[in-house]
Amino acid sequence: EVVSTQSTGIHPGKANLSKAELKDKLATMYKTTSDVIMPFGFKTDFGGGRSTGFALIYDIVDALQKIEPKYRLQRFLPKKDKTSGRRQRKELKNKKKKEKGKKKAEMGSCKRNGK
């Protein structure tokens, strides 16, 4: 089961609330754990001190992972380190354009090659 809620966070003296703080507050309000709560769409009201947005509260984590879009799930996952620099990736991409067949596949990973 999914509970949809429009929530208002009051935070006097602060610019805004972090999503982690928001998840913790909602978890205590609804007597659940913070890992089954998905806050999104929060906007700070003019003048500060209050934010309004939406949160979906799931029964279990499996339901959250099945129903939620991937982009929302990735906001709360730890970020992956990039394997190489931007310039290196671009150079590899352009080198691959000039090669054909097996050589192209052996050169390394590139999005265009599907690896």
Side-chain angles (χ1 to χ4, degrees), residues 40-89:
F40 61 96
F42 275 82
K43 298 202 170 157
T44 308
D45 292 350
F46 181 73
R50 180 191 287 196
S51 297
T52 53
F54 298 96
L56 296 173
I57 302 164
Y58 294 87
D59 284 345
I60 53 174
V61 178
D62 293 336
L64 179 135
Q65 290 176 342
K66 187 177 178 185
I67 297 169
E68 280 296 315
K70 292 219 176 354
Y71 73 91
R72 269 198 227 148
L73 289 171
Q74 294 204 343
R75 288 178 186 170
F76 296 100
L77 294 175
K79 303 232 189 258
K80 294 179 184 174
D81 292 334
K82 291 183 180 174
T83 53
S84 61
R86 182 176 174 189
R87 176 61 44 204
Q88 283 179 322
R89 288 195 310 266

Side-chain angles (χ1 to χ4, degrees), residues 13-28:
K14 283 187 175 180
N16 55 15
L17 286 173
S18 71
K19 292 226 172 99
E21 288 176 36
L22 237 150
K23 284 172 83 169
D24 292 337
K25 282 190 177 187
L26 287 170
T28 55

